[in-house]
Amino acid sequence: MQVLDKNGIEDIGVWNLGHADPGVWSLLQGPLDVAHLRISDLSRHIGYTGVGPFHSFEHAPVTGRRNIDVSEGRIIGVSWAELPRPWQIRRWGAPQTDLIALTFDDGPDERYTGRILDILRDHNAPATFFALGASMLGQNDMMRRMQAEGHTFGLHGFSHSHLEDMGEWWLESEIRLQQRMFATMTGQKPILFRPPYVPGSGPLRPDVARQMQRVDAMGYITLGSDIVPPDWTDLSADEITDYVVSEVQAGKGNVILLHDGGGDRENTVKALPEIIVQLRSLGYEFTDAAGLIGHENLDLMPLSDPGGIVETMSFAVAGFFRNYFHIGFALMIGIGLLRCLIMLLGVWKRRPAAMTDLEWAPSVCVIVPAYNEEKVIVRTVRSILASDYKNLSVLVINDGSTDDTLVELYGAYATDGRVTVLSQRNQGKWAAANTAVACSRSDIIVAIDADTLVDRDAIRLLVQRMSDPKVGAVAGNVQVGNPNQMLTRLQALEYISAQQIERRTYETVNGIMVVPGAIGAWRRDALKAVGGYSAETLTEDADLTVSIIRAGYRVEFEERAHTWTEAPEHLRGFMAQRLRWTLRVPQSVGQLCCHFLITV
């Protein structure tokens, strides 16, 4: 390079490009870097030996080391301490030229594979099927038919993923899973493998070669392909046939790759009989993968333990879901749309109940169970006292708080005659609410959570709905007061759906299942009739609501009675809340069934 520079030669050509020693690039990029030149790394290169459609790995790459002698800034001597090696793959199994192996990838597909088997049977032509694990689910009969009709089958992966995108554990898990599927369905364990998305002549990228070497080390034999008509495109049946026949006549190879699944393979099915007829007329004979190397297919599919009942049932269940998932999915969408329609019709049908006595103003006791609510309790009570309904009192039950909840309450309301503060040892919200109800003498009980803010007219609107003696409880309209992040914003949307639409519809059939703890009005007589709040379920509000309905009362919804509550801001709190909400309906229904059985 120095000599060339001195003589004014600036442009240099490298021949043979792609096969040059990688060290040449460091020479071309700048000053002489001897340390870099001492290492020769061919790990990005793949070398092949032999001829044939089968591939075996001979060795992984080896980094070469040079001894370099330098004098006066020039290299004067080079010798190898260790020769570099690329990935080395051996091609083998080249058959006699008149043998043709038909192979099919990506099946089985119930639309095409059965028809292909019919054609092969009618023309007495064997084939090799590289099945996809996901496609095998639920296709036990098809796989057994392949076996019974003497065809060879191999593995094509479970998910048809790119090898370079799969980790070692993922790759090995997919292969072992598919192998167990073959064993369970057919009692045989194929050792043939064809990787998805890899050229039939072998891998071109080192990351793919590395994955295929792992498969080779697991004891599998890789079969490539020679003639691959692009039958996944819009080629007609005649074009597929012409492509295959011309490639065979040109001596391009013996292994034909077609597809029996993974898309529309109608033209492949139409082309297959003509391919067989024309190639036979040219003197070619058909065999399977085993026949290419002079073996029986049992040599490539040895017998195996078919597995136990657990494996059989597992694959059967998975196959059932795969075959009928689309039906179930469509059914769920249909049910969801029907539910939406019913909800909208219910909202349209519902008419707010007329107020029978607008001057009705019974005494109201607002109960607030509180546990460790020092940061919000004063604010909540303040919003209650700001109500435009004047005939009310506030009763706060401190349920054994370990923080300064009690201190905050006494500091703010010790001299306010409208507020009463009671304390008890920690027993849970249901016990605190029952204590408050027992200590109250009001006709109407309004229960509010300790972290809830109440609109000025909310209590009045709830009480007016209870002027009808048949109404035992009224649910208020709870809204999210802290929509300051994605999780709480999503909950705000859910609250709108659940209350503005669903509760209005449920009210038309007296089917409101929950009067929320954040705001709800209860008739004292109704509470006494059902025994108050219960500890038998995780959601005492749902349990009490159902009991009120069973006692013959109506439960209504007042959408104008707004309160603002703090929704969980972290996933852990959100999941704990949703667990309680998820269990409330089955627990309430279970309790109803128990009561029914006892009374019977």
Side-chain angles (χ1 to χ4, degrees):
M1 298 294 295
Q2 294 175 4
V3 172
L4 294 176
D5 287 340
K6 290 179 179 179
N7 287 276
I9 298 176
E10 297 179 353
D11 297 329
I12 299 171
V14 178
W15 185 266
N16 173 335
L17 193 63
H19 294 273
D21 188 309
V24 72
W25 304 114
S26 63
L27 287 174
L28 294 174
Q29 288 174 352
L32 179 63
D33 183 356
V34 176
H36 188 78
L37 288 176
R38 294 186 193 278
I39 302 298
S40 179
D41 182 9
L42 298 181
S43 61
R44 298 183 60 84
H45 295 252
I46 301 175
Y48 288 91
T49 62
V51 178
F54 294 90
H55 305 152
S56 295
F57 280 76
E58 294 187 325
H59 59 74
V62 176
T63 301
R65 294 184 295 110
R66 295 184 181 94
N67 296 319
I68 300 178
D69 299 324
V70 180
S71 177
E72 298 179 356
R74 297 176 62 183
I75 298 175
I76 61 173
V78 177
S79 62
W80 286 102
E82 184 174 8
L83 287 173
R85 290 184 177 185
W87 291 95
Q88 194 71 37
I89 299 176
R90 180 172 66 92
R91 297 184 178 123
W92 58 279
Q96 58 192 66
T97 56
D98 61 347
L99 283 181
I100 294 294
L102 288 170
T103 66
F104 296 89
D105 285 7
D106 296 351
D109 188 311
E110 58 186 8
R111 296 171 297 174
Y112 308 113
T113 305
R115 294 161 62 190
I116 288 174
L117 290 173
D118 291 341
I119 294 170
L120 295 173
R121 179 196 59 203
D122 294 343
H123 290 82
N124 193 28
T128 303
F129 291 85
F130 287 93
L132 198 62
S135 300
M136 291 171 60
L137 291 171
Q139 298 292 332
N140 300 45
D141 293 340
M142 191 76 72
M143 298 306 300
R144 294 189 184 110
R145 181 183 173 187
M146 289 182 194
Q147 179 187 37
E149 295 183 1
H151 301 292
T152 302
F153 36 75
L155 287 73
H156 196 45
F158 188 88
S159 61
H160 206 270
S161 300
H162 290 267
L163 293 187
E164 63 271 24
D165 295 335
M166 304 171 70
E168 180 178 354
W169 178 87
W170 180 6
L171 174 64
E172 293 182 3
S173 297
E174 280 208 5
I175 290 177
R176 290 194 175 100
L177 174 61
Q178 192 179 14
Q179 185 188 78
R180 291 311 307 162
M181 291 178 67
F182 273 111
T184 301
M185 294 180 181
T186 67
Q188 291 181 273
K189 181 178 67 176
I191 60 174
L192 272 181
F193 176 74
R194 174 177 282 163
Y197 304 113
V198 175
S201 57
L204 302 177
R205 295 173 47 176
D207 49 356
V208 178
R210 183 178 295 105
Q211 292 289 67
M212 290 181 62
Q213 185 192 38
R214 290 193 177 105
V215 177
D216 190 85
M218 293 173 68
Y220 291 91
I221 299 173
T222 299
L223 176 62
S225 55
D226 302 314
I227 300 169
V228 187
D231 60 347
W232 58 90
T233 63
D234 57 355
L235 285 184
S236 67
D238 290 340
E239 289 172 326
I240 294 173
T241 302
D242 292 343
Y243 184 100
V244 171
V245 173
S246 62
E247 291 285 289
V248 171
Q249 288 182 304
K252 294 297 182 64
N254 306 77
V255 179
I256 300 170
L257 190 160
L258 300 168
H259 294 85
D260 65 323
D264 183 359
R265 304 296 180 235
E266 188 65 36
N267 288 337
T268 301
V269 176
K270 293 178 180 178
L272 181 59
E274 191 63 27
I275 290 172
I276 296 173
V277 170
Q278 289 195 30
L279 290 180
R280 275 186 172 157
S281 68
L282 295 172
Y284 292 96
E285 297 180 8
F286 288 92
T287 185
D288 56 13
L292 289 175
I293 51 177
H295 285 261
E296 300 294 330
N297 65 4
L298 273 177
D299 296 330
L300 299 181
M301 301 187 304
L303 298 176
S304 174
D305 177 11
I309 187 64
V310 174
E311 279 189 344
T312 302
M313 291 301 298
S314 298
F315 291 132
V317 171
F320 175 84
F321 278 109
R322 178 188 180 276
N323 290 337
Y324 297 102
F325 177 78
H326 62 288
I327 298 176
F329 188 71
L331 183 62
M332 291 300 102
I333 291 178
I335 292 174
L337 292 175
L338 179 62
R339 182 178 183 274
C340 290
L341 178 61
I342 292 173
M343 290 295 169
L344 293 175
L345 288 175
V347 171
W348 175 78
K349 178 182 176 182
R350 175 185 181 262
R351 297 291 183 270
M355 306 304 174
T356 57
D357 186 357
L358 295 178
E359 300 301 323
W360 190 64
S363 63
V364 172
C365 181
V366 181
I367 64 172
V368 185
Y371 175 73
N372 289 349
E373 302 286 359
E374 62 179 4
K375 296 181 179 180
V376 296
I377 189 63
V378 171
R379 182 188 62 179
T380 297
V381 175
R382 186 184 302 122
S383 73
I384 296 171
L385 294 177
S387 172
D388 62 7
Y389 191 85
K390 301 306 179 183
N391 190 15
L392 64 76
S393 60
V394 180
L395 180 54
V396 182
I397 303 297
N398 178 44
D399 188 37
S401 297
T402 57
D403 64 358
D404 288 336
T405 298
L406 197 58
V407 174
E408 294 291 331
L409 285 168
Y410 282 142
Y413 302 110
T415 59
D416 193 326
R418 297 171 297 174
V419 179
T420 302
V421 179
L422 301 177
S423 287
Q424 66 177 28
R425 63 182 179 84
N426 181 252
Q427 301 177 60
K429 181 181 176 181
W430 69 274
N434 280 338
T435 299
V437 172
C439 294
S440 169
R441 295 295 179 265
S442 298
D443 298 324
I444 304 298
I445 306 296
V446 175
I448 292 177
D449 283 344
D451 61 350
T452 300
L453 296 179
V454 186
D455 273 8
R456 191 168 182 272
D457 60 352
I459 295 175
R460 173 175 55 81
L461 292 169
L462 291 175
V463 173
Q464 287 178 351
R465 293 292 293 266
M466 300 194 74
S467 59
D468 182 352
K470 295 180 181 179
V471 176
V474 180
N477 190 343
V478 184
Q479 299 189 30
V480 173
N482 58 330
N484 50 15
Q485 55 168 274
M486 181 60 70
L487 181 60
T488 53
R489 290 191 188 104
L490 292 175
Q491 292 177 78
L493 291 174
E494 180 197 23
Y495 276 47
I496 292 172
S497 169
Q499 298 183 75
Q500 302 299 338
I501 298 177
E502 294 181 7
R503 281 207 177 114
R504 295 178 191 225
T505 301
Y506 293 151
E507 186 189 72
T508 62
V509 293
N510 197 25
I512 295 177
M513 294 292 291
V514 184
V515 173
I519 182 169
W522 307 87
R523 190 176 300 278
R524 181 182 180 81
D525 292 341
L527 291 176
K528 291 175 61 178
V530 300
Y533 291 87
S534 170
E536 295 183 5
T537 66
L538 292 175
T539 51
E540 61 280 337
D541 304 321
D543 187 23
L544 181 58
T545 304
V546 173
S547 298
I548 292 289
I549 295 173
R550 290 181 61 239
Y553 290 95
R554 284 188 54 80
V555 175
E556 296 187 351
F557 172 54
E558 177 51 69
E559 62 271 19
R560 298 171 298 170
H562 295 284
T563 61
W564 306 86
T565 189
E566 291 189 2
E569 295 184 344
H570 303 288
L571 188 59
R572 184 173 183 177
F574 173 77
M575 295 303 294
Q577 180 194 68
R578 294 310 154 122
L579 176 62
R580 296 195 305 273
W581 290 8
T582 301
L583 292 175
R584 66 189 178 191
V585 172
Q587 283 188 327
S588 298
V589 172
Q591 191 178 28
L592 282 173
C593 294
C594 290
H595 287 314
F596 175 77
L597 293 175
I598 291 173
T599 56
V600 172

